Amino acid sequence: MKKKLVIILSLVVTFCFTGMAWGAAPVDVPADHWAYQAVKKLAADGIIDGYDNGRFNGDKTLTRYEFAVIIAKAIGREDKANAEEKALIEKLEKEYKKEIEGLGIRVRALEDKASAIQISGAVRARDDQQADAQTFDDRHINFDLKITYNINGDWVVKTETELQRQFDLPGAYLSSGKNAYNVPSAKPLATYDGFSHGMTEQLYITGPAIGAIFKVGKQDYNPVCGLSVDSRVMGVAATYGSGVKATVISGNTDDDYRLNGLDVAWAVNKDTNVKAGYQKIDECGTAIIHYGSVGFDTKVAENFLVTVAAAKSDKDSNNKAYLAAVQYKVADPVVVGSSDIFASYKKIPANAVYFSSDYDSEDRILDVDFKGARIGFDYVPMKNTKFTAWYMDGKDASTSTTNIKVYRGQMEFYF
């Protein structure tokens, strides 16, 4: 371990003299990135001396390579860290692994090149119960596998695949839970094999070109809290900018609808972000629907995050959606004992939002056509785990005649 630290620190010194001649423009880390808070805490605790002549300025936009220098310093003093600080260093090291190893790759002429394939994911056990009804009951175990293949240091291929089975319907070929979609009536539930062996949630290639970050392939798309559009799109997305980021996207949804969108995200400062989005969806020539949304999130105190958003479509009625949420602290799976509590109020009529009812996640079916409150908490009982419990209470957003009361207990294991 000591040899590793000596090597890394030597590479940091070399890096400081050689600069950042990496061939491609380094990617900026925005001031609202979680790593800023982690580094500021390590600096305040004296684990690192900081950056820029011993001073870390949390409002300054740094590149990922500059962050690698800071993290390498933290690794070199890990023996002075407590359990929480070591967990933060480990999380930072994992996030910036490529850049840290890039320092060594540069000096040692590729003799210690890291593997091009990275595997991560989670296993989830969930139990949803609806009071006085069976509509939203859902008991399942889910395996979410993510694989990243690094092509050349800039461009990578990313995949995400989910496997899922219901505890009460183990023989049914379901991958997204019976809350998540309506099985086509032409095929019985137990014999429908459209989801057999799991489902490819995402499969895309991403990297920088002509001043933008591109994604090409099947990708998640949920701008502005996913309030108006929350789906997957097979197509092309390009993101431009740093402090103010603009993303344009064009492709087909899982319903084979044509989607074109423009989203803007502005990091006002390290605590506040403002977002806006517009989407046009062509429903196979039967209708063209326009969706718009705006929102912001901000820290109103050290550990309080407030999120507010609104959305509207141009459908004839019940076409406006609202969201207000507050969260206290953050449950970090690598920090044992960390926790958070959250509460929200939502009104999301079906006409205000687009998502594929046959394919999208369970939580969307619980959100759409719902108005009411949700309150809950997260807790980390062991490293790389998280327990979640919440209760939602409200009515349908269209007629306000159907009571919707759902309890959730969920355990996740990350790898």
Side-chain angles (χ1 to χ4, degrees):
M1 180 65 183
K2 290 183 178 180
K3 290 183 178 180
K4 177 183 176 184
L5 298 180
V6 171
I7 291 172
I8 291 177
L9 291 174
S10 298
L11 296 173
V12 169
V13 173
T14 304
F15 174 74
C16 292
F17 279 100
T18 58
M20 295 189 299
W22 295 86
V27 178
D28 286 342
V29 180
D32 63 340
H33 197 281
W34 64 265
Y36 271 95
Q37 297 303 317
V39 169
K40 288 174 70 176
K41 176 174 175 53
L42 293 174
D45 293 349
I47 301 301
I48 56 176
D49 295 328
Y51 179 78
D52 213 7
N53 295 325
R55 180 179 61 86
F56 176 74
N57 184 348
D59 296 326
K60 178 181 178 182
T61 297
L62 304 178
T63 69
R64 289 182 66 90
Y65 299 113
E66 289 174 307
F67 255 79
V69 174
I70 297 171
I71 297 162
K73 292 179 180 180
I75 294 171
R77 303 187 67 182
E78 193 171 10
D79 58 333
K80 301 182 181 298
N82 59 31
E84 181 181 3
E85 292 160 350
K86 287 180 179 179
L88 284 177
I89 294 171
E90 181 179 333
K91 185 177 180 181
L92 286 164
E93 185 178 5
K94 182 178 179 181
E95 170 72 14
Y96 295 90
K97 179 180 179 181
K98 183 183 73 172
E99 287 78 12
I100 293 172
E101 292 180 337
L103 301 176
I105 292 170
R106 177 77 174 175
V107 174
R108 289 175 284 159
L110 302 177
E111 64 185 18
D112 191 26
K113 185 177 181 181
S115 172
I117 298 178
Q118 296 182 5
I119 298 175
S120 62
V123 177
R124 176 182 74 213
R126 173 181 294 176
D127 187 359
D128 284 357
Q129 299 287 330
Q130 183 179 11
D132 304 323
Q134 301 297 318
T135 309
F136 298 112
D137 284 1
D138 183 11
R139 293 172 292 278
H140 71 241
I141 186 166
N142 176 284
F143 178 68
D144 186 9
L145 177 65
K146 299 178 180 179
I147 301 175
T148 299
Y149 178 76
N150 190 322
I151 298 173
N152 57 17
D154 291 323
W155 285 81
V156 298
V157 176
K158 294 191 175 185
T159 72
E160 181 182 6
T161 301
E162 286 196 56
L163 306 172
Q164 184 164 301
R165 288 295 181 266
Q166 299 296 122
F167 284 108
D168 54 345
L169 291 170
Y173 294 116
L174 309 180
S175 78
S176 297
K178 57 187 177 183
N179 287 355
Y181 59 86
N182 298 315
V183 175
S185 58
K187 296 186 177 182
L189 182 66
T191 61
Y192 180 59
D193 61 2
F195 298 91
S196 62
H197 310 301
M199 179 176 174
T200 300
E201 302 284 345
Q202 299 190 82
L203 173 57
Y204 63 89
I205 183 171
T206 181
I210 57 174
I213 301 296
F214 282 85
K215 284 186 179 181
V216 182
K218 188 172 185 179
Q219 55 198 273
D220 280 341
Y221 182 60
N222 50 5
V224 194
C225 308
L227 191 59
S228 61
V229 173
D230 189 349
S231 186
R232 287 176 291 271
V233 177
M234 174 65 82
V236 179
T239 300
Y240 299 85
S242 177
V244 178
K245 293 184 178 180
T247 299
V248 292
I249 187 170
S250 180
N252 290 343
T253 70
D254 283 331
D255 291 318
D256 201 25
Y257 293 167
R258 188 67 184 176
L259 180 147
N260 293 290
L262 170 63
D263 318 298
V264 177
W266 176 28
V268 179
N269 53 48
K270 64 184 180 64
D271 294 327
T272 304
N273 301 282
V274 177
K275 303 174 183 179
Y278 163 78
Q279 296 81 32
K280 174 184 175 183
I281 298 179
D282 185 344
E283 298 182 350
C284 299
T286 61
I288 296 178
I289 311 298
H290 302 266
Y291 298 86
S293 54
V294 294
F296 72 91
D297 61 76
T298 185
K299 286 186 177 179
V300 296
E302 178 65 23
N303 291 306
F304 279 95
L305 178 68
V306 173
T307 302
V308 177
K312 184 179 183 299
S313 76
D314 61 357
K315 291 187 178 181
D316 293 338
S317 60
N318 292 323
N319 59 1
K320 297 178 181 178
Y322 307 94
L323 162 67
V326 62
Q327 179 172 316
Y328 176 65
K329 293 189 174 181
V330 176
D332 188 335
V334 302
V335 180
V336 177
S338 63
S339 63
D340 61 51
I341 58 175
F342 54 85
S344 65
Y345 178 83
K346 301 178 181 180
K347 179 182 179 182
I348 310 179
N351 282 348
V353 63
Y354 169 76
F355 81 108
S356 172
S357 60
D358 284 349
Y359 297 90
D360 285 337
S361 67
E362 293 89 339
D363 288 330
R364 295 306 299 166
I365 200 71
L366 291 176
D367 283 340
V368 174
D369 200 25
F370 171 77
K371 66 175 182 180
R374 180 181 295 184
I375 184 170
F377 70 92
D378 299 304
Y379 176 71
V380 179
M382 303 175 290
K383 185 176 180 180
N384 295 329
T385 69
K386 184 169 69 175
F387 174 75
T388 301
W390 55 245
Y391 170 65
M392 58 185 287
D393 187 352
K395 296 180 179 293
D396 69 285
S398 299
T399 65
S400 299
T401 58
T402 303
N403 291 325
I404 301 176
K405 303 177 187 293
V406 180
Y407 304 85
R408 168 170 295 177
Q410 175 176 289
M411 189 71 186
E412 293 174 287
F413 302 83
Y414 302 95
F415 60 89

